[in-house]
Short mmCIF file of all heavy atoms in Angstrom, two decimals:
data_model
loop_
_atom_site.label_atom_id
_atom_site.label_comp_id
_atom_site.label_asym_id
_atom_site.label_seq_id
_atom_site.Cartn_x
_atom_site.Cartn_y
_atom_site.Cartn_z
N MET E 1 8.57 -35.17 12.32
CA MET E 1 9.89 -35.62 12.82
C MET E 1 9.82 -35.73 14.34
O MET E 1 10.82 -35.60 14.98
CB MET E 1 10.93 -34.55 12.52
CG MET E 1 11.09 -34.30 11.05
SD MET E 1 11.64 -35.68 10.08
CE MET E 1 13.45 -35.32 10.22
N GLU E 2 8.64 -36.11 14.84
CA GLU E 2 8.38 -36.18 16.25
C GLU E 2 9.35 -37.23 16.86
O GLU E 2 9.78 -36.99 18.08
CB GLU E 2 6.90 -36.65 16.45
CG GLU E 2 6.56 -36.74 17.95
CD GLU E 2 5.16 -37.17 18.10
OE1 GLU E 2 4.38 -37.27 17.04
OE2 GLU E 2 4.74 -37.42 19.23
N TYR E 3 9.68 -38.38 16.23
CA TYR E 3 10.57 -39.37 16.78
C TYR E 3 11.99 -39.31 16.44
O TYR E 3 12.74 -40.17 16.75
CB TYR E 3 9.92 -40.76 16.38
CG TYR E 3 8.46 -40.88 16.85
CD1 TYR E 3 7.49 -40.90 15.97
CD2 TYR E 3 8.25 -41.06 18.20
CE1 TYR E 3 6.22 -40.96 16.36
CE2 TYR E 3 6.91 -41.14 18.67
CZ TYR E 3 5.90 -41.11 17.67
OH TYR E 3 4.57 -41.21 18.16
N VAL E 4 12.37 -38.20 15.79
CA VAL E 4 13.80 -38.07 15.49
C VAL E 4 14.46 -37.01 16.39
O VAL E 4 14.11 -35.93 16.43
CB VAL E 4 13.94 -37.56 13.94
CG1 VAL E 4 15.42 -37.42 13.57
CG2 VAL E 4 13.25 -38.53 13.05
N GLY E 5 15.42 -37.50 17.10
CA GLY E 5 16.17 -36.59 18.10
C GLY E 5 17.46 -36.10 17.58
O GLY E 5 18.16 -35.43 18.33
N GLY E 6 17.82 -36.37 16.28
CA GLY E 6 19.09 -35.82 15.84
C GLY E 6 19.37 -36.48 14.49
O GLY E 6 18.61 -37.20 13.96
N ALA E 7 20.50 -36.13 13.93
CA ALA E 7 20.94 -36.56 12.67
C ALA E 7 22.38 -36.25 12.46
O ALA E 7 23.06 -35.73 13.22
CB ALA E 7 20.13 -35.83 11.53
N TYR E 8 22.97 -36.88 11.38
CA TYR E 8 24.28 -36.48 10.95
C TYR E 8 24.35 -36.70 9.43
O TYR E 8 23.52 -37.37 8.83
CB TYR E 8 25.33 -37.32 11.64
CG TYR E 8 25.10 -38.85 11.64
CD1 TYR E 8 25.39 -39.58 10.61
CD2 TYR E 8 24.67 -39.44 12.83
CE1 TYR E 8 25.15 -40.97 10.68
CE2 TYR E 8 24.46 -40.80 12.94
CZ TYR E 8 24.78 -41.55 11.77
OH TYR E 8 24.57 -42.88 11.85
N SER E 9 25.37 -36.14 8.85
CA SER E 9 25.44 -36.04 7.41
C SER E 9 26.03 -37.28 6.80
O SER E 9 26.76 -38.07 7.48
CB SER E 9 26.30 -34.82 6.98
OG SER E 9 27.64 -35.03 7.34
N TYR E 10 25.81 -37.45 5.49
CA TYR E 10 26.60 -38.40 4.72
C TYR E 10 26.73 -37.85 3.40
O TYR E 10 25.86 -37.08 2.90
CB TYR E 10 26.07 -39.82 4.72
CG TYR E 10 24.81 -39.95 4.01
CD1 TYR E 10 24.84 -40.45 2.61
CD2 TYR E 10 23.54 -39.67 4.57
CE1 TYR E 10 23.66 -40.49 1.89
CE2 TYR E 10 22.37 -39.86 3.83
CZ TYR E 10 22.40 -40.25 2.47
OH TYR E 10 21.26 -40.37 1.76
N ALA E 11 27.85 -38.11 2.68
CA ALA E 11 28.05 -37.60 1.39
C ALA E 11 27.73 -38.72 0.36
O ALA E 11 27.92 -39.86 0.61
CB ALA E 11 29.48 -37.20 1.21
N LEU E 12 27.16 -38.30 -0.78
CA LEU E 12 26.86 -39.26 -1.86
C LEU E 12 28.27 -39.83 -2.29
O LEU E 12 29.29 -39.20 -2.25
CB LEU E 12 26.22 -38.53 -3.00
CG LEU E 12 24.81 -38.10 -2.72
CD1 LEU E 12 24.28 -37.22 -3.89
CD2 LEU E 12 23.87 -39.30 -2.46
N PRO E 13 28.29 -40.98 -2.88
CA PRO E 13 29.50 -41.57 -3.37
C PRO E 13 30.12 -40.67 -4.31
O PRO E 13 29.57 -40.08 -5.29
CB PRO E 13 29.07 -42.88 -4.09
CG PRO E 13 27.77 -43.26 -3.33
CD PRO E 13 27.14 -41.93 -2.99
N GLY E 14 31.43 -40.38 -4.13
CA GLY E 14 32.28 -39.52 -5.06
C GLY E 14 32.10 -38.08 -4.66
O GLY E 14 32.72 -37.22 -5.38
N ARG E 15 31.35 -37.73 -3.67
CA ARG E 15 31.13 -36.31 -3.38
C ARG E 15 31.66 -35.93 -2.06
O ARG E 15 31.23 -34.87 -1.42
CB ARG E 15 29.58 -36.03 -3.41
CG ARG E 15 28.88 -36.25 -4.71
CD ARG E 15 29.52 -35.45 -5.82
NE ARG E 15 29.37 -33.99 -5.66
CZ ARG E 15 28.38 -33.28 -5.93
NH1 ARG E 15 27.33 -33.87 -6.49
NH2 ARG E 15 28.26 -32.02 -5.66
N ALA E 16 32.57 -36.69 -1.47
CA ALA E 16 33.14 -36.33 -0.15
C ALA E 16 33.78 -34.99 -0.13
O ALA E 16 33.83 -34.31 0.86
CB ALA E 16 34.08 -37.42 0.32
N GLY E 17 34.26 -34.56 -1.31
CA GLY E 17 34.93 -33.23 -1.38
C GLY E 17 34.01 -32.10 -1.07
O GLY E 17 34.51 -30.98 -0.75
N ALA E 18 32.66 -32.32 -1.14
CA ALA E 18 31.80 -31.26 -0.79
C ALA E 18 31.90 -30.77 0.63
O ALA E 18 31.47 -29.66 0.96
CB ALA E 18 30.33 -31.73 -1.13
N ARG E 19 32.44 -31.59 1.54
CA ARG E 19 32.61 -31.22 2.87
C ARG E 19 33.53 -30.04 2.94
O ARG E 19 33.38 -29.16 3.77
CB ARG E 19 33.11 -32.34 3.69
CG ARG E 19 32.15 -33.56 3.77
CD ARG E 19 32.71 -34.66 4.67
NE ARG E 19 31.83 -35.77 4.69
CZ ARG E 19 30.60 -35.93 5.36
NH1 ARG E 19 30.28 -34.87 6.01
NH2 ARG E 19 29.91 -36.99 5.24
N GLY E 20 34.61 -30.04 2.13
CA GLY E 20 35.53 -28.86 2.07
C GLY E 20 34.77 -27.64 1.67
O GLY E 20 35.10 -26.47 2.16
N GLU E 21 33.89 -27.78 0.72
CA GLU E 21 33.17 -26.58 0.29
C GLU E 21 32.30 -26.00 1.38
O GLU E 21 32.14 -24.83 1.60
CB GLU E 21 32.25 -27.00 -0.97
CG GLU E 21 32.97 -27.33 -2.15
CD GLU E 21 33.80 -26.16 -2.67
OE1 GLU E 21 33.25 -25.02 -2.85
OE2 GLU E 21 35.02 -26.32 -2.87
N LEU E 22 31.65 -26.93 2.10
CA LEU E 22 30.89 -26.49 3.30
C LEU E 22 31.65 -25.76 4.31
O LEU E 22 31.20 -24.80 4.94
CB LEU E 22 30.15 -27.67 3.99
CG LEU E 22 28.89 -28.20 3.36
CD1 LEU E 22 28.45 -29.50 4.16
CD2 LEU E 22 27.76 -27.23 3.30
N ALA E 23 32.91 -26.13 4.44
CA ALA E 23 33.80 -25.57 5.45
C ALA E 23 34.41 -24.22 5.14
O ALA E 23 34.90 -23.53 5.93
CB ALA E 23 34.92 -26.49 5.83
N ARG E 24 34.28 -23.93 3.80
CA ARG E 24 34.98 -22.75 3.30
C ARG E 24 34.41 -21.43 3.85
O ARG E 24 33.14 -21.21 3.73
CB ARG E 24 35.05 -22.69 1.81
CG ARG E 24 36.02 -21.69 1.21
CD ARG E 24 36.39 -22.01 -0.17
NE ARG E 24 35.21 -22.19 -0.99
CZ ARG E 24 35.28 -22.44 -2.31
NH1 ARG E 24 36.46 -22.65 -2.85
NH2 ARG E 24 34.22 -22.60 -3.05
N PRO E 25 35.13 -20.56 4.48
CA PRO E 25 34.61 -19.31 5.03
C PRO E 25 34.06 -18.45 3.90
O PRO E 25 34.50 -18.50 2.73
CB PRO E 25 35.83 -18.61 5.66
CG PRO E 25 36.75 -19.62 5.92
CD PRO E 25 36.60 -20.68 4.78
N PHE E 26 33.13 -17.63 4.28
CA PHE E 26 32.52 -16.61 3.29
C PHE E 26 33.14 -15.24 3.61
O PHE E 26 32.90 -14.76 4.73
CB PHE E 26 30.96 -16.58 3.39
CG PHE E 26 30.35 -15.54 2.50
CD1 PHE E 26 30.23 -15.74 1.12
CD2 PHE E 26 29.92 -14.39 3.05
CE1 PHE E 26 29.76 -14.75 0.36
CE2 PHE E 26 29.37 -13.39 2.31
CZ PHE E 26 29.26 -13.63 0.90
N ASP E 27 33.84 -14.69 2.67
CA ASP E 27 34.27 -13.32 2.79
C ASP E 27 35.12 -13.10 4.02
O ASP E 27 35.18 -11.94 4.56
CB ASP E 27 33.11 -12.40 2.65
CG ASP E 27 33.47 -11.01 2.27
OD1 ASP E 27 34.60 -10.84 1.62
OD2 ASP E 27 32.77 -10.07 2.64
N GLN E 28 35.74 -14.08 4.54
CA GLN E 28 36.55 -14.07 5.81
C GLN E 28 35.70 -13.38 6.86
O GLN E 28 36.26 -12.73 7.83
CB GLN E 28 37.87 -13.16 5.52
CG GLN E 28 38.86 -14.01 4.59
CD GLN E 28 39.21 -15.33 5.30
OE1 GLN E 28 39.65 -15.40 6.36
NE2 GLN E 28 38.95 -16.32 4.56
N ARG E 29 34.41 -13.51 6.86
CA ARG E 29 33.51 -12.94 7.95
C ARG E 29 32.57 -13.95 8.43
O ARG E 29 32.05 -13.76 9.55
CB ARG E 29 32.75 -11.77 7.38
CG ARG E 29 33.51 -10.52 6.97
CD ARG E 29 32.63 -9.42 6.52
NE ARG E 29 32.01 -9.75 5.34
CZ ARG E 29 30.69 -9.39 5.06
NH1 ARG E 29 30.01 -8.73 5.90
NH2 ARG E 29 30.18 -9.76 3.85
N LEU E 30 32.33 -14.97 7.69
CA LEU E 30 31.38 -16.01 8.14
C LEU E 30 32.03 -17.35 8.09
O LEU E 30 32.65 -17.75 7.07
CB LEU E 30 30.18 -16.02 7.26
CG LEU E 30 28.96 -16.72 7.68
CD1 LEU E 30 28.43 -16.27 9.00
CD2 LEU E 30 27.86 -16.54 6.59
N PHE E 31 32.04 -18.12 9.28
CA PHE E 31 32.85 -19.29 9.39
C PHE E 31 31.94 -20.46 9.85
O PHE E 31 30.99 -20.27 10.55
CB PHE E 31 33.93 -19.10 10.46
CG PHE E 31 34.90 -17.96 10.07
CD1 PHE E 31 34.56 -16.64 10.50
CD2 PHE E 31 35.98 -18.13 9.30
CE1 PHE E 31 35.28 -15.54 10.13
CE2 PHE E 31 36.76 -17.12 8.89
CZ PHE E 31 36.41 -15.82 9.34
N PHE E 32 32.20 -21.59 9.27
CA PHE E 32 31.27 -22.71 9.35
C PHE E 32 31.87 -23.91 10.15
O PHE E 32 33.00 -24.32 9.85
CB PHE E 32 30.90 -23.16 7.93
CG PHE E 32 30.15 -22.20 7.15
CD1 PHE E 32 30.85 -21.37 6.23
CD2 PHE E 32 28.82 -21.95 7.30
CE1 PHE E 32 30.18 -20.36 5.61
CE2 PHE E 32 28.18 -20.95 6.66
CZ PHE E 32 28.83 -20.18 5.77
N ALA E 33 31.06 -24.32 11.10
CA ALA E 33 31.49 -25.49 11.89
C ALA E 33 30.32 -26.51 11.76
O ALA E 33 29.25 -26.31 11.17
CB ALA E 33 31.69 -25.07 13.36
N GLY E 34 30.56 -27.73 12.33
CA GLY E 34 29.57 -28.78 12.28
C GLY E 34 30.22 -29.98 11.71
O GLY E 34 31.08 -29.86 10.85
N GLU E 35 29.80 -31.10 12.14
CA GLU E 35 30.42 -32.42 11.63
C GLU E 35 30.42 -32.49 10.17
O GLU E 35 31.37 -33.08 9.58
CB GLU E 35 29.71 -33.63 12.30
CG GLU E 35 28.16 -33.72 11.99
CD GLU E 35 27.85 -34.33 10.68
OE1 GLU E 35 28.77 -34.97 10.09
OE2 GLU E 35 26.71 -34.27 10.27
N ALA E 36 29.45 -31.90 9.44
CA ALA E 36 29.30 -32.07 7.97
C ALA E 36 30.48 -31.34 7.25
O ALA E 36 30.67 -31.61 6.07
CB ALA E 36 27.97 -31.57 7.51
N THR E 37 31.13 -30.45 7.98
CA THR E 37 32.21 -29.63 7.39
C THR E 37 33.58 -30.31 7.49
O THR E 37 34.53 -29.84 6.93
CB THR E 37 32.36 -28.27 8.06
OG1 THR E 37 32.74 -28.42 9.39
CG2 THR E 37 30.95 -27.52 7.97
N GLN E 38 33.58 -31.47 8.19
CA GLN E 38 34.87 -32.11 8.43
C GLN E 38 35.19 -33.10 7.28
O GLN E 38 34.49 -33.86 6.90
CB GLN E 38 34.80 -32.92 9.72
CG GLN E 38 34.89 -32.01 11.00
CD GLN E 38 36.20 -31.42 11.13
OE1 GLN E 38 36.37 -30.20 10.80
NE2 GLN E 38 37.18 -32.10 11.63
N ARG E 39 36.48 -33.02 6.80
CA ARG E 39 37.03 -34.00 5.83
C ARG E 39 37.24 -35.34 6.49
O ARG E 39 37.11 -36.33 5.82
CB ARG E 39 38.31 -33.51 5.25
CG ARG E 39 38.12 -32.26 4.32
CD ARG E 39 39.50 -31.96 3.73
NE ARG E 39 39.39 -30.70 2.94
CZ ARG E 39 39.00 -30.69 1.70
NH1 ARG E 39 38.77 -31.77 1.03
NH2 ARG E 39 38.97 -29.53 1.09
N HIS E 40 37.59 -35.29 7.76
CA HIS E 40 37.78 -36.58 8.52
C HIS E 40 36.90 -36.58 9.73
O HIS E 40 36.65 -35.45 10.28
CB HIS E 40 39.29 -36.71 8.93
CG HIS E 40 40.17 -36.61 7.75
ND1 HIS E 40 40.35 -37.60 6.86
CD2 HIS E 40 40.97 -35.59 7.34
CE1 HIS E 40 41.22 -37.24 5.92
NE2 HIS E 40 41.60 -36.05 6.16
N ASP E 41 36.57 -37.64 10.26
CA ASP E 41 35.79 -37.76 11.53
C ASP E 41 34.47 -37.05 11.38
O ASP E 41 33.88 -36.57 12.39
CB ASP E 41 36.55 -37.17 12.69
CG ASP E 41 37.79 -38.02 12.95
OD1 ASP E 41 37.80 -39.24 12.75
OD2 ASP E 41 38.87 -37.41 13.46
N PHE E 42 33.92 -36.92 10.14
CA PHE E 42 32.57 -36.43 9.95
C PHE E 42 31.57 -37.42 10.60
O PHE E 42 31.93 -38.57 10.88
CB PHE E 42 32.19 -36.26 8.50
CG PHE E 42 32.69 -37.33 7.63
CD1 PHE E 42 31.95 -38.51 7.50
CD2 PHE E 42 33.95 -37.27 7.03
CE1 PHE E 42 32.38 -39.57 6.69
CE2 PHE E 42 34.38 -38.37 6.18
CZ PHE E 42 33.65 -39.52 6.05
N SER E 43 30.39 -36.94 10.81
CA SER E 43 29.29 -37.78 11.36
C SER E 43 29.59 -38.25 12.72
O SER E 43 28.99 -39.22 13.20
CB SER E 43 28.95 -39.02 10.43
OG SER E 43 28.78 -38.60 9.18
N THR E 44 30.46 -37.52 13.47
CA THR E 44 30.83 -37.99 14.85
C THR E 44 30.81 -36.69 15.71
O THR E 44 30.95 -35.61 15.24
CB THR E 44 32.18 -38.56 14.94
OG1 THR E 44 33.11 -37.57 14.70
CG2 THR E 44 32.33 -39.75 14.01
N ALA E 45 30.64 -37.00 17.05
CA ALA E 45 30.74 -35.83 18.00
C ALA E 45 32.13 -35.26 18.05
O ALA E 45 32.27 -34.04 18.14
CB ALA E 45 30.34 -36.41 19.37
N HIS E 46 33.18 -36.13 18.02
CA HIS E 46 34.48 -35.50 18.04
C HIS E 46 34.80 -34.72 16.77
O HIS E 46 35.52 -33.68 16.81
CB HIS E 46 35.56 -36.48 18.43
CG HIS E 46 35.69 -37.71 17.41
ND1 HIS E 46 34.77 -38.75 17.48
CD2 HIS E 46 36.51 -37.94 16.42
CE1 HIS E 46 35.16 -39.61 16.57
NE2 HIS E 46 36.15 -39.16 15.86
N GLY E 47 34.26 -35.11 15.62
CA GLY E 47 34.40 -34.37 14.40
C GLY E 47 33.69 -33.00 14.53
O GLY E 47 34.23 -32.03 14.05
N ALA E 48 32.59 -33.01 15.18
CA ALA E 48 31.90 -31.69 15.44
C ALA E 48 32.73 -30.76 16.27
O ALA E 48 32.82 -29.65 16.00
CB ALA E 48 30.51 -31.96 16.06
N TYR E 49 33.26 -31.45 17.33
CA TYR E 49 34.13 -30.56 18.23
C TYR E 49 35.35 -30.05 17.43
O TYR E 49 35.63 -28.87 17.57
CB TYR E 49 34.55 -31.48 19.32
CG TYR E 49 35.68 -30.79 20.23
CD1 TYR E 49 35.27 -29.94 21.22
CD2 TYR E 49 36.98 -31.10 20.12
CE1 TYR E 49 36.20 -29.30 22.01
CE2 TYR E 49 37.94 -30.53 20.84
CZ TYR E 49 37.50 -29.60 21.86
OH TYR E 49 38.47 -28.96 22.56
N GLN E 50 36.01 -30.91 16.69
CA GLN E 50 37.17 -30.37 15.94
C GLN E 50 36.79 -29.34 14.93
O GLN E 50 37.53 -28.39 14.70
CB GLN E 50 37.77 -31.64 15.12
CG GLN E 50 38.43 -32.59 16.01
CD GLN E 50 38.74 -34.00 15.34
OE1 GLN E 50 38.43 -34.13 14.12
NE2 GLN E 50 39.20 -34.93 15.99
N SER E 51 35.56 -29.48 14.39
CA SER E 51 35.18 -28.38 13.39
C SER E 51 34.93 -27.12 14.15
O SER E 51 35.20 -26.03 13.51
CB SER E 51 33.85 -28.84 12.64
OG SER E 51 32.78 -28.72 13.50
N GLY E 52 34.51 -27.11 15.36
CA GLY E 52 34.27 -25.92 16.11
C GLY E 52 35.66 -25.23 16.40
O GLY E 52 35.71 -24.00 16.26
N THR E 53 36.60 -26.00 16.78
CA THR E 53 37.90 -25.35 17.11
C THR E 53 38.59 -24.80 15.80
O THR E 53 39.08 -23.75 15.79
CB THR E 53 38.85 -26.34 17.79
OG1 THR E 53 39.00 -27.54 17.05
CG2 THR E 53 38.34 -26.75 19.22
N ARG E 54 38.40 -25.60 14.72
CA ARG E 54 38.89 -25.12 13.47
C ARG E 54 38.25 -23.81 13.06
O ARG E 54 38.92 -22.85 12.63
CB ARG E 54 38.68 -26.18 12.40
CG ARG E 54 39.40 -25.92 11.05
CD ARG E 54 38.51 -25.75 9.79
NE ARG E 54 37.29 -26.56 9.85
CZ ARG E 54 36.11 -26.15 9.72
NH1 ARG E 54 35.88 -24.89 9.54
NH2 ARG E 54 35.06 -26.90 9.71
N ALA E 55 36.98 -23.73 13.19
CA ALA E 55 36.25 -22.49 12.74
C ALA E 55 36.60 -21.30 13.65
O ALA E 55 36.81 -20.15 13.13
CB ALA E 55 34.73 -22.74 12.80
N ALA E 56 36.82 -21.61 14.89
CA ALA E 56 37.28 -20.52 15.81
C ALA E 56 38.65 -20.03 15.49
O ALA E 56 38.89 -18.82 15.53
CB ALA E 56 37.17 -21.09 17.30
N GLU E 57 39.45 -20.95 15.13
CA GLU E 57 40.86 -20.54 14.77
C GLU E 57 40.88 -19.74 13.48
O GLU E 57 41.56 -18.81 13.39
CB GLU E 57 41.77 -21.84 14.65
CG GLU E 57 42.09 -22.47 15.97
CD GLU E 57 42.78 -23.86 15.85
OE1 GLU E 57 42.99 -24.23 14.66
OE2 GLU E 57 43.03 -24.39 16.85
N GLU E 58 39.96 -20.14 12.60
CA GLU E 58 39.87 -19.42 11.28
C GLU E 58 39.34 -18.00 11.60
O GLU E 58 39.87 -16.95 11.04
CB GLU E 58 38.93 -20.05 10.30
CG GLU E 58 39.46 -21.33 9.72
CD GLU E 58 38.44 -22.13 8.98
OE1 GLU E 58 37.19 -21.73 9.06
OE2 GLU E 58 38.80 -23.12 8.34
N ALA E 59 38.38 -17.81 12.49
CA ALA E 59 37.87 -16.55 12.84
C ALA E 59 38.86 -15.67 13.56
O ALA E 59 39.03 -14.45 13.19
CB ALA E 59 36.59 -16.68 13.60
N THR E 60 39.55 -16.28 14.44
CA THR E 60 40.68 -15.57 15.13
C THR E 60 41.76 -15.08 14.13
O THR E 60 42.18 -13.86 14.25
CB THR E 60 41.28 -16.53 16.22
OG1 THR E 60 40.26 -16.88 17.09
CG2 THR E 60 42.37 -15.71 16.99
N ALA E 61 42.18 -15.90 13.24
CA ALA E 61 43.14 -15.51 12.24
C ALA E 61 42.66 -14.37 11.34
O ALA E 61 43.44 -13.44 11.06
CB ALA E 61 43.60 -16.79 11.39
N ALA E 62 41.40 -14.40 10.98
CA ALA E 62 40.87 -13.36 10.17
C ALA E 62 40.80 -12.00 10.85
O ALA E 62 41.10 -10.95 10.29
CB ALA E 62 39.49 -13.76 9.66
N LEU E 63 40.40 -12.12 12.19
CA LEU E 63 40.43 -10.92 12.98
C LEU E 63 41.78 -10.31 13.20
O LEU E 63 41.98 -9.09 13.08
CB LEU E 63 39.79 -11.22 14.37
CG LEU E 63 38.27 -11.21 14.62
CD1 LEU E 63 37.86 -11.73 15.90
CD2 LEU E 63 37.74 -9.77 14.29
N THR E 64 42.73 -11.25 13.39
CA THR E 64 44.10 -10.75 13.58
C THR E 64 44.64 -10.08 12.26
O THR E 64 45.32 -9.03 12.36
CB THR E 64 45.01 -11.89 13.89
OG1 THR E 64 44.46 -12.57 15.11
CG2 THR E 64 46.46 -11.52 14.09
N ARG E 65 44.31 -10.65 11.16
CA ARG E 65 44.73 -10.09 9.86
C ARG E 65 44.11 -8.70 9.68
O ARG E 65 44.63 -7.78 9.25
CB ARG E 65 44.35 -11.00 8.69
CG ARG E 65 45.34 -12.15 8.45
CD ARG E 65 45.07 -12.77 7.14
NE ARG E 65 43.76 -13.32 6.94
CZ ARG E 65 43.36 -14.55 7.39
NH1 ARG E 65 44.28 -15.24 7.95
NH2 ARG E 65 42.12 -14.98 7.22
N SER E 66 42.78 -8.59 10.03
CA SER E 66 42.07 -7.36 9.72
C SER E 66 42.58 -6.24 10.70
O SER E 66 42.59 -5.10 10.32
CB SER E 66 40.57 -7.52 9.94
OG SER E 66 40.20 -7.78 11.23
N GLN E 67 43.07 -6.66 11.90
CA GLN E 67 43.51 -5.67 12.80
C GLN E 67 44.91 -5.17 12.40
O GLN E 67 45.30 -4.08 12.81
CB GLN E 67 43.53 -6.21 14.24
CG GLN E 67 42.07 -6.34 14.83
CD GLN E 67 42.08 -7.02 16.07
OE1 GLN E 67 43.03 -7.72 16.50
NE2 GLN E 67 40.90 -7.03 16.67
N ALA E 68 45.63 -6.02 11.67
CA ALA E 68 46.99 -5.71 11.28
C ALA E 68 47.02 -4.67 10.20
O ALA E 68 48.12 -4.08 9.87
CB ALA E 68 47.78 -6.93 10.92
N ARG E 69 45.87 -4.59 9.45
CA ARG E 69 45.85 -3.69 8.30
C ARG E 69 45.76 -2.22 8.68
O ARG E 69 45.24 -1.88 9.69
CB ARG E 69 44.65 -4.04 7.38
CG ARG E 69 44.92 -5.21 6.59
CD ARG E 69 43.70 -5.34 5.59
NE ARG E 69 43.49 -6.88 5.43
CZ ARG E 69 42.29 -7.41 5.43
NH1 ARG E 69 41.21 -6.75 5.54
NH2 ARG E 69 42.23 -8.69 5.26
C1 LIG V 1 21.00 -41.41 16.79
C2 LIG V 1 22.42 -40.92 16.72
C3 LIG V 1 23.53 -41.56 17.28
C4 LIG V 1 24.79 -41.03 17.22
N1 LIG V 1 25.81 -41.64 17.85
C5 LIG V 1 27.07 -41.08 17.88
C6 LIG V 1 28.12 -41.78 18.57
O1 LIG V 1 27.97 -42.91 19.20
N2 LIG V 1 29.34 -41.29 18.56
C7 LIG V 1 29.63 -40.02 17.83
O2 LIG V 1 30.78 -39.61 17.88
N3 LIG V 1 28.58 -39.42 17.18
C8 LIG V 1 27.33 -39.96 17.14
N4 LIG V 1 26.39 -39.36 16.46
C9 LIG V 1 26.66 -38.17 15.64
C10 LIG V 1 26.80 -36.91 16.52
O3 LIG V 1 25.70 -36.79 17.43
C11 LIG V 1 26.80 -35.70 15.56
O4 LIG V 1 27.76 -35.87 14.52
C12 LIG V 1 27.02 -34.37 16.25
O5 LIG V 1 26.17 -34.14 17.24
C13 LIG V 1 26.95 -33.23 15.21
O6 LIG V 1 27.21 -32.05 15.95
P1 LIG V 1 27.01 -30.66 15.15
O7 LIG V 1 27.40 -29.64 16.12
O8 LIG V 1 27.64 -30.71 13.87
O9 LIG V 1 25.45 -30.65 14.85
P2 LIG V 1 24.22 -30.78 15.92
O10 LIG V 1 24.62 -31.52 17.14
O11 LIG V 1 23.09 -31.27 15.10
O12 LIG V 1 23.97 -29.27 16.32
C14 LIG V 1 23.26 -28.37 15.52
C15 LIG V 1 22.58 -27.50 16.35
O13 LIG V 1 21.96 -26.36 15.55
C16 LIG V 1 20.67 -26.14 15.96
N5 LIG V 1 19.98 -25.43 14.87
C17 LIG V 1 19.59 -25.94 13.70
N6 LIG V 1 18.99 -25.04 12.95
C18 LIG V 1 19.14 -23.87 13.65
C19 LIG V 1 18.75 -22.55 13.24
N7 LIG V 1 18.16 -22.24 12.20
N8 LIG V 1 19.00 -21.58 14.27
C20 LIG V 1 19.62 -21.96 15.38
N9 LIG V 1 20.03 -23.16 15.72
C21 LIG V 1 19.73 -24.16 14.87
C22 LIG V 1 20.04 -27.45 16.33
O14 LIG V 1 19.04 -27.31 17.16
C23 LIG V 1 21.32 -28.13 17.02
O15 LIG V 1 21.30 -27.83 18.47
C24 LIG V 1 25.04 -39.80 16.50
C25 LIG V 1 24.04 -39.17 15.93
C26 LIG V 1 22.70 -39.66 16.01
C27 LIG V 1 21.62 -38.91 15.29
#
């Protein structure tokens, strides 16, 4: 991969819903970001950015819920 400086995802035809699976948190402790997790604006820099803010908000909400218990 010497000449490859990056990549982005694409979904197989009919499998775009898999992006939602990739984005799903694990056990409310592990949160996933990255352009491949976006239902919209995937394969782009702004999609990657949006996924980061979404994952951060999910983590913050999970922390808030756990502290309220
Ligand atoms: C040639 C090319 C042109 C593009 N042009 C555009 C464009 O014009 N406009 C646009 O919006 N988008 C463009 N994109 C897409 C955009 O660059 C990507 O969608 C975006 O960078 C994805 O961001 P990301 O954070 O999801 O992943 P990445 O930017 O791939 O970040 C993932 C990071 O994780 C690191 N990593 C991987 N494995 C591990 C590990 N095991 N441990 C620790 N770190 C690890 C990697 O080193 C990398 O730094 C282009 C992409 C390519 C390849």
Side-chain angles (χ1 to χ4, degrees):
M1 303 296 270
E2 183 181 351
Y3 299 110
V4 178
Y8 49 78
S9 70
Y10 71 94
L12 292 174
R15 301 298 303 274
R19 297 183 184 283
E21 293 296 310
L22 279 177
R24 193 159 54 183
F26 175 76
D27 200 24
Q28 290 303 304
R29 290 184 297 142
L30 193 56
F31 302 88
F32 298 96
E35 58 81 16
T37 66
Q38 285 293 100
R39 288 181 188 273
H40 305 285
D41 297 327
F42 44 81
S43 307
T44 67
H46 58 281
Y49 171 81
Q50 290 164 2
S51 77
T53 57
R54 189 239 329 126
E57 286 167 4
E58 289 171 352
T60 302
L63 275 173
T64 303
R65 280 195 300 274
S66 70
Q67 287 170 352
R69 283 187 214 135

